């Protein structure tokens, strides 16, 4: 026993010698949890929750953003920031950086930075469209008119104008002659006799007088206080946002969709291009779309993928739709038959989800609301005409269109509050009314269970029509004047929407009815929403239609 004990002592001593002799592992070899971390504070609030902090590497087209927690702290995961020199920015309503900020990120080390914010000197330059709407005196009915304006520009332009009522009447007339994909950087006039109803049934003179009473036509500054939305907190700060700058400022990524390989595709609302982006590198490839109606406005809207993963696109005032063959990289075009075409012909929306059933593509012509079906066997179009509301006898003002697995079509009535289902076999229409009157459904999509999810632009809600029960359910979005543009449900039990007004995206837990909103790093005019639901939670992809960028929103829980 003593001999064994001696051997154990000797062995322990020898092990100790070896351990002492082994060199200590350098602390730097331990990979830090984050590449960059810090805290955001201000003199007024101290640590600030809900501040969006962005980092962009010199020479890169990609920026990464995170949000601060209740202690004002933020952290960028190591996998998201490669070594390099980064410029930092921060977004918090009513605040701005107290001086330029930059930091060096090195491999294997955690960079730390303290960010100080100060009150904004020019608050008006930082307001979202929705914040203008909660600030401006007036009734909701008066303010709804301004929902027609954000397609082309911000409300700041209107509020900083000095137009009187007569001049505003001239502005309304002029705006009715512009293509809806116009921007201050690239305005496009409509052709021929085409014009748009920018008043949407309102009283132009009364609206003009109201706007002249709240802009800068009579005073050097506004007589009302400017208000901001409270910053988002809690779960809304658990997010990573990636922004990809596109090659030039004129690109308007209206629809952003992923193919099966994970490539990001976008339609350009103001130019004749179909774009593709590699999300790993940010590299963009643009495919020119043939101009088939010279002299008419250029730009595209709806982007869909068929079962062969080929993109289809609505080519707006070119009065055509197009299919892009990814193998040949050539477009096949279908134009409105000449005998049907008009100066205002506009094929912006298509539906191909149910096309494999009968080889027919649904198409909406915004001029007079006519609904077409393209037969892919004969390559001929059928005109089903426009549909009417049986109660009011008013024409259905279709904006969005989608189809189910049986190729029945759903029309979203942007001029009222109706959802119209067209039976693919009988062509008969059934009209369903949203619980909120005149909710102005805009765009939506049929889910895997055959239910239609849609945005209520004027109803400030997401809606869902279950054709089995013929019942519509609504979920109001928590932020005022969100004016949801599109809605989509994923396979994880959530629905998503976004806005042209709030710079926020919203994620709905369908079972609980609870929303989680996420603030975006920059002003963002959002149209289509697309969700990659291959993981849980899903990842939202959107285009900044006036910011020439594509945005990826990744909730962390």
């Amino acid at each position: 026993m003593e001999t064994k004990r001696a051997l154990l002592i000797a062995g322990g001593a020898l092990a100790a010698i070896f351990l002492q002799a082994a060199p200590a592992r350098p602390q730097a070899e331990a990979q830090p949890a984050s590449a960059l971390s810090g805290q955001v504070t201000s003199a007024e609030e101290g640590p600030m929750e809900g501040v969006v902090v962005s980092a962009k590497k010199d020479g890169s087209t990609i920026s990464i953003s995170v949000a601060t927690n209740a202690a004002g702290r933020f952290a960028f995961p190591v996998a998201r920031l490669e070594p390099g020199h980064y410029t930092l920015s921060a977004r918090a309503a009513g605040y701005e950086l107290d001086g330029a900020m930059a930091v060096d990120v090195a491999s294997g080390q955690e960079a730390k930075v303290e960010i100080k914010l100060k009150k904004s000197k020019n608050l008006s330059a930082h307001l979202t469209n929705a914040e203008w709407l909660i600030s401006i005196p007036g009734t909701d009915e008066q303010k709804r008119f301004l929902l027609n304006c954000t397609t082309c520009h911000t409300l700041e332009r209107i509020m900083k104008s000095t137009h009187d009522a007569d001049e505003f009447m001239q502005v309304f007339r002029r705006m009715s002659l512009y293509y809806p994909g116009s921007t201050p950087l690239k305005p496009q006039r409509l052709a021929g006799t085409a014009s748009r109803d920018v008043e949407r049934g309102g009283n132009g003179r009364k609206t003009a007088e109201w706007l002249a009473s709240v802009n800068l036509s009579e005073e050097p500054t506004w007589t009302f206080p400017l208000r901001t939305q409270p910053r988002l907190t809690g779960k809304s700060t658990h997010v990573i946002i990636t922004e990809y700058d596109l090659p030039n400022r004129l690109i308007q990524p209206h629809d952003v969709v992923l193919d099966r390989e994970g490539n990001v595709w976008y339609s350009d609302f103001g130019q004749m291009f179909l774009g593709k982006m590699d999300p790993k590198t940010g590299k963009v490839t643009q495919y020119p779309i043939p101009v088939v109606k010279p002299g008419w406005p250029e730009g595209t809207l709806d982007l869909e993928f068929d079962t062969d993963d080929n993109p289809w696109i609505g080519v707006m005032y070119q009065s055509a739709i197009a299919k892009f063959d990814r193998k040949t990289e050539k477009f096949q075009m279908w134009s409105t038959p000449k005998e049907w075409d008009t100066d205002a012909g506009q094929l912006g929306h298509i539906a191909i989800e149910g096309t494999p059933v009968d080889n027919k593509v649904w198409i909406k012509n915004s001029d007079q609301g006519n609904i077409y079906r393209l037969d892919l066997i004969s390559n001929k179009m059928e005109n089903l005409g426009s549909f009417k509301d049986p109660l009011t006898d008013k024409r259905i003002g279709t904006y969005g269109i989608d189809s189910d697995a049986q190729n029945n079509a759903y029309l979203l009535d942007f001029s009222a509050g109706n959802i119209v289902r067209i039976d693919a076999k009988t062509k008969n229409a059934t009209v369903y009314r949203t619980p909120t009157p005149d909710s102005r459904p805009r765009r939506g999509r049929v889910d895997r269970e055959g239910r239609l999810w849609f945005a209520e632009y004027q109803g400030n809600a997401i809606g869902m029509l279950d054709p089995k029960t013929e019942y519509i359910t609504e979920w109001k979005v928590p932020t005022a004047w969100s004016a949801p543009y599109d809605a989509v449900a994923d396979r994880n039990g959530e629905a998503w929407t976004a806005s042209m007004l709030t710079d926020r995206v919203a994620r709905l837990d369908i079972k609980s009815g609870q929303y989680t909103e996420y603030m975006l790093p920059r002003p963002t005019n959002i149209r289509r929403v697309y969700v990659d639901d291959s993981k849980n939670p899903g990842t939202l992809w959107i285009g900044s239609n006036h910011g020439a960028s594509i945005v990826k929103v990744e909730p962390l829980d």
Side-chain angles (χ1 to χ4, degrees):
M1 291 294 294
E2 290 299 321
T3 302
K4 291 182 180 178
R5 183 171 180 271
L7 288 172
L8 286 171
I9 293 174
L14 188 60
I17 292 171
F18 279 123
L19 287 173
Q20 291 174 3
R25 175 172 293 182
Q27 187 67 29
E29 289 185 12
Q31 187 70 264
S34 58
L36 170 65
S37 63
Q39 187 180 40
V40 177
T41 60
S42 66
E44 292 79 9
E45 297 187 31
M48 300 176 67
E49 184 178 9
V51 178
V52 182
V53 180
S54 304
K56 189 172 186 179
K57 185 181 177 182
D58 289 357
S60 177
T61 60
I62 302 174
S63 60
I64 308 296
S65 301
V66 296
T68 58
N69 63 17
R73 298 196 173 278
F74 64 90
F76 290 82
V78 170
R80 299 307 177 97
L81 296 186
E82 61 184 17
H85 185 74
Y86 285 82
T87 298
L88 302 182
S89 59
R91 187 177 196 185
Y95 288 88
E96 58 190 27
L97 282 176
D98 191 6
M101 294 288 297
V103 65
D104 290 310
V105 173
S107 178
Q109 299 180 17
E110 181 179 23
K112 295 184 179 292
V113 65
E114 297 298 313
I115 297 179
K116 303 290 185 181
L117 299 186
K118 62 180 181 180
K119 282 286 186 178
S120 301
K121 294 181 180 179
N122 181 12
L123 180 58
S124 66
H126 298 272
L127 295 186
T128 65
N129 290 324
E131 288 169 335
W132 276 113
L133 286 170
I134 65 173
S135 299
I136 301 169
T139 65
D140 284 357
E141 182 179 359
Q142 288 173 317
K143 295 179 182 182
R144 287 189 190 109
F145 171 85
L146 295 175
L147 294 180
N148 304 320
C149 303
T150 54
T151 294
C152 298
H153 56 74
T154 65
L155 299 186
E156 179 189 11
R157 293 178 67 90
I158 300 173
M159 299 313 300
K160 286 187 174 180
S161 74
T162 57
H163 299 312
D164 61 21
D166 290 338
E167 290 169 333
F168 267 122
M169 291 299 292
Q170 296 175 29
V171 170
F172 297 163
R173 170 60 181 165
R174 189 170 69 251
M175 292 300 100
S176 72
L177 300 177
Y178 279 94
Y179 167 61
S182 294
T183 68
L185 289 177
K186 187 184 178 182
Q188 293 190 67
R189 291 293 292 263
L190 296 174
T193 60
S195 65
R196 300 166 55 227
D197 179 14
V198 297
E199 294 183 28
R200 295 286 179 184
N203 186 307
R205 186 69 197 183
K206 289 184 179 179
T207 300
E209 292 172 353
W210 169 64
L211 290 176
S213 73
V214 295
N215 71 347
L216 299 181
S217 61
E218 298 178 358
E219 301 287 345
T221 188
W222 299 284
T223 58
F224 52 88
L226 302 182
R227 299 168 56 194
T228 59
Q229 297 279 8
R231 291 195 306 277
L232 298 174
T233 60
K235 189 176 179 179
S236 293
T237 66
H238 305 169
V239 65
I240 297 176
I241 300 170
T242 307
E243 296 171 285
Y244 303 85
D245 293 338
L246 296 173
N248 70 72
R249 295 178 65 194
L250 295 181
I251 297 174
Q252 298 183 60
H254 194 286
D255 279 25
V256 174
V257 185
L258 272 62
D259 65 22
R260 294 178 196 144
E261 299 172 356
N263 297 303
V264 181
W265 295 76
Y266 63 87
S267 59
D268 191 330
F269 200 34
Q271 300 181 107
M272 295 293 283
F273 290 102
L274 173 64
K276 181 178 74 170
M277 186 193 75
D278 183 337
K280 296 179 181 178
T281 64
K283 179 183 176 182
V284 172
T285 304
Q286 295 196 108
Y287 303 94
I289 302 172
V291 173
V292 294
K293 199 173 180 180
W296 265 255
E298 298 180 358
T300 65
L301 197 152
D302 192 5
L303 174 62
E304 306 290 341
F305 276 86
D306 62 22
T307 54
D308 295 322
D309 222 20
N310 289 317
W312 290 64
I313 198 163
V315 199
M316 293 294 282
Y317 280 88
Q318 292 292 301
S319 204
I321 67 170
K323 171 189 174 182
F324 181 68
D325 189 307
R326 296 179 59 183
K327 294 180 180 179
T328 64
E329 296 190 349
K330 292 182 179 180
F331 287 94
Q332 181 177 2
M333 311 286 290
W334 292 270
S335 296
T336 301
K338 291 183 179 181
E339 61 271 23
W340 300 349
D341 201 14
T342 63
D343 289 349
Q346 182 191 156
L347 306 188
H349 295 271
I350 56 179
I352 62 173
E353 182 65 30
T355 297
V357 173
D358 55 14
N359 291 302
K360 293 182 179 180
V361 175
W362 292 95
I363 308 169
K364 182 220 69 171
N365 188 340
S366 291
D367 185 30
Q368 302 302 318
N370 289 327
I371 304 300
Y372 300 158
R373 282 200 303 184
L374 169 65
D375 189 314
L376 296 180
I377 303 300
S378 66
N379 273 331
K380 293 183 178 180
M381 286 189 187
E382 172 189 14
N383 187 355
L384 276 65
S386 59
F387 293 83
K388 290 186 176 181
D389 182 334
L391 290 183
T392 65
D393 203 39
K394 290 183 178 180
R395 178 172 58 84
I396 298 297
T398 304
Y399 187 78
I401 183 171
D402 198 36
S403 57
D404 60 20
Q406 292 75 43
N407 212 17
N408 303 304
Y410 288 91
L411 314 180
L412 291 101
D413 186 0
F414 191 49
S415 64
N418 301 312
I419 304 297
V420 181
R421 180 182 181 273
I422 304 176
D423 188 284
K425 296 180 179 179
T426 66
K427 306 176 191 176
N428 293 332
T430 305
V431 177
Y432 305 92
R433 305 183 190 284
T434 59
T436 299
D438 295 323
S439 63
R440 296 181 70 187
R442 189 149 201 174
R443 287 190 74 178
R445 199 148 299 268
V446 176
D447 68 11
R448 293 172 178 82
E449 298 178 36
R451 304 172 301 180
L452 176 71
W453 293 83
F454 57 93
E456 296 184 2
Y457 190 65
Q458 194 164 276
N460 215 56
I462 288 177
M464 184 271 284
L465 166 65
D466 187 336
K468 296 178 181 178
T469 63
E470 298 189 325
Y471 184 78
I472 292 177
T473 307
E474 291 180 343
W475 294 266
K476 297 291 184 180
V477 181
T479 296
W481 296 105
S482 289
Y485 188 98
D486 185 21
V488 63
D490 65 22
R491 70 177 72 198
N492 302 316
E494 296 178 319
W496 303 71
T497 191
S499 169
M500 292 193 289
L501 288 88
T502 64
D503 297 346
R504 297 179 177 187
V505 300
R507 169 189 174 198
L508 170 70
D509 183 307
I510 298 169
K511 187 175 182 179
S512 69
Q514 296 297 309
Y515 278 97
T516 302
E517 295 182 291
Y518 303 100
M519 191 71 192
L520 300 175
R522 291 186 284 179
T524 311
N525 186 287
I526 306 167
R527 312 301 172 90
R528 171 81 175 270
V529 292
Y530 176 88
V531 178
D532 175 6
D533 58 5
S534 57
K535 296 181 181 179
N536 190 5
T539 297
L540 182 71
W541 289 87
I542 52 177
S544 179
N545 207 60
H546 293 168
S549 64
I550 290 174
V551 185
K552 177 173 68 169
V553 181
E554 299 175 88
L556 300 178
D557 54 21

